[in-house]
């Protein structure tokens, strides 16, 4: 019943109801978990009480319930409504840090993400550079995945390389999403997209032992990749299509589009010379 009440409080942005429900659960010595705190966070975020919403993240981390990007979605939806809200949230977080609270990196990440969403990418990068001032744990993989998404949108390969270098220097391991966004960032570069193939090869190698056939691109990224190859008359487009099909991705419409728009060299069987081989990407050399 309390969970139902918490969800109702979150839906209608009623922080008082949510807080009283949490107080009842605490009085019964119930073990509070993420799904108790998340609607509390949503209630405060929906009501516009950003500082208390951020304090909920601090409380979660103190209780050894490390929040992540899924936890912060309600707060992100509020902060991404305007630049003023995103900027206010950063000031609130600084005040919490000055008051002696230990700031979880998820709280910083959601503010960085909101700045990118409202068109303040440069400011988001500056927040990353100041992250250590208020967050002792430093950035994590989610931090870089968020920034890489922004770099891809801005078509900033220089920042993509910088962020990859930062990850290596800090010893933060990339995950599937990291590689996916590195590939996207490289695909949006007008002059040279060969690094996208290098990152793809490294992604496959690093994630070879992962479930479901190992790591590979998401469907949307693969579609962008194929279309870029077609634009460049790169016969490797056909290999990417084959791999999409092998992995069970729906590429029927994409394959039809490629057949209609292919202006590259004829490939045996559907047209082609053997695809070019790209060298393995060197994440470790960035």
């Amino acid at each position: 019943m309390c969970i139902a009440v918490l969800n109702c409080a979150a839906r209608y942005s009623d922080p008082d109801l949510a807080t009283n429900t949490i107080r009842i659960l605490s009085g019964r010595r119930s073990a509070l978990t993420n799904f108790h705190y998340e609607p509390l966070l949503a209630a405060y975020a929906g009501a516009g009480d950003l500082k208390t919403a951020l304090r909920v993240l601090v409380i979660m981390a103190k209780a050894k319930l490390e929040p992540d990007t899924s936890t912060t979605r309600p707060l992100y939806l509020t902060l991404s409504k305007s630049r003023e809200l995103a900027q206010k949230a950063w000031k609130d977080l600084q005040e919490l840090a000055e008051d002696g609270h230990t700031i979880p990196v998820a709280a910083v990440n959601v503010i960085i993400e909101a700045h990118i969403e409202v068109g303040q990418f440069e400011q988001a990068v500056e927040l990353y550079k100041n992250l250590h001032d208020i967050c002792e744990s430093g950035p994590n993989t989610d931090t870089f995945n968020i920034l890489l998404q922004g770099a891809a949108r801005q078509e900033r390969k220089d920042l993509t390389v910088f962020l990859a270098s930062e990850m290596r220097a800090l010893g933060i391991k990339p995950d599937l999403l990291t590689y996916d966004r590195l590939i996207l960032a490289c695909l949006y570069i007008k002059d040279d997209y060969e690094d996208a193939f290098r990152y793809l090869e490294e992604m496959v190698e690093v994630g070879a032992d992962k479930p479901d056939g190992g790591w590979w691109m998401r469907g949307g990224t693969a579609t962008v990749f194929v279309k870029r190859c077609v634009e460049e008359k790169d016969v490797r487009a056909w290999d990417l299509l084959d791999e999409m099909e092998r992995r069970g991705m729906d590429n029927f419409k994409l394959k039809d589009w490629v057949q209609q728009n292919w202006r590259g060299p004829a490939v045996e069987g559907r047209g082609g010379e053997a695809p070019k081989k790209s060298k393995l990407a060197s994440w470790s050399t960035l």
Side-chain angles (χ1 to χ4, degrees), residues 133-239:
D133 293 339
I134 65 171
C135 180
E136 293 181 6
S137 66
N140 61 4
T141 303
D142 286 340
T143 310
F144 287 100
N145 287 344
I146 290 167
L147 289 166
L148 285 168
Q149 183 181 43
R153 290 179 183 177
Q154 297 289 320
E155 301 183 14
R156 293 286 301 276
K157 187 176 181 180
D158 58 327
L159 278 172
T160 299
V161 173
F162 164 74
L163 292 169
S165 300
E166 286 280 287
M167 288 191 76
R168 176 178 174 269
L170 295 170
I172 297 175
K173 293 184 178 180
D175 60 11
L176 185 151
L177 187 57
T178 309
Y179 281 114
D180 193 274
R181 289 182 172 172
L182 283 167
I183 290 168
L184 266 180
C186 294
L187 289 175
Y188 290 130
I189 305 304
K190 295 181 180 179
D191 299 328
D192 180 18
Y193 65 103
E194 193 63 31
D195 282 344
F197 277 103
R198 299 193 182 105
Y199 282 124
L200 176 58
E201 289 188 33
E202 185 172 344
M203 170 196 270
V204 171
E205 182 176 272
V206 172
D209 60 346
K210 302 298 181 181
D212 302 321
W215 285 354
W216 209 64
M217 297 177 288
R218 295 178 296 174
T221 303
T223 297
V224 174
F225 209 154
V226 169
K227 289 187 174 181
R228 180 66 194 271
C229 286
V230 171
E231 179 186 333
E232 300 293 336
K233 301 178 182 179
D234 188 332
V235 295
R236 290 174 291 184
W238 299 100
D239 285 339

Side-chain angles (χ1 to χ4, degrees), residues 226 230 234-246 251 254-256 258-276:
V226 169
V230 171
D234 188 332
V235 295
R236 290 174 291 184
W238 299 100
D239 285 339
L240 293 174
L241 280 171
D242 287 345
E243 185 63 16
M244 289 179 73
E245 189 168 341
R246 190 184 75 79
N251 70 344
L254 178 61
K255 184 179 289 186
D256 184 59
V258 172
Q259 289 171 343
Q260 292 182 36
N261 290 275
W262 181 249
R263 299 293 182 269
V267 185
E268 186 179 352
R270 61 200 169 186
E273 55 191 83
K276 296 182 288 184

Side-chain angles (χ1 to χ4, degrees), residues 60-174:
M60 289 181 67
K62 189 175 182 179
K64 307 300 182 184
L65 299 171
E66 197 63 38
D68 55 22
T69 52
S70 62
T71 309
T72 58
R73 289 310 82 194
L75 185 54
Y76 167 74
L77 292 174
T78 297
L79 297 183
S80 58
K81 290 179 180 178
S82 73
R83 295 184 176 185
E84 290 73 20
L85 287 173
Q87 292 167 356
K88 182 180 184 304
W90 181 254
K91 292 179 181 178
D92 288 340
L93 200 61
Q94 287 178 313
E95 291 176 3
L96 288 172
E98 290 169 1
D99 290 340
H101 294 288
T102 300
I103 306 299
V105 67
V108 181
N109 289 346
V110 69
I111 297 174
I112 290 175
E113 189 177 8
H115 273 77
I116 294 173
E117 181 61 26
V118 297
Q120 293 184 306
F121 179 68
E122 298 297 337
Q123 291 89 332
V125 174
E126 288 303 312
L127 294 186
Y128 160 72
K129 293 178 179 178
N130 295 319
L131 185 149
H132 280 284
D133 293 339
I134 65 171
C135 180
E136 293 181 6
S137 66
N140 61 4
T141 303
D142 286 340
T143 310
F144 287 100
N145 287 344
I146 290 167
L147 289 166
L148 285 168
Q149 183 181 43
R153 290 179 183 177
Q154 297 289 320
E155 301 183 14
R156 293 286 301 276
K157 187 176 181 180
D158 58 327
L159 278 172
T160 299
V161 173
F162 164 74
L163 292 169
S165 300
E166 286 280 287
M167 288 191 76
R168 176 178 174 269
L170 295 170
I172 297 175
K173 293 184 178 180

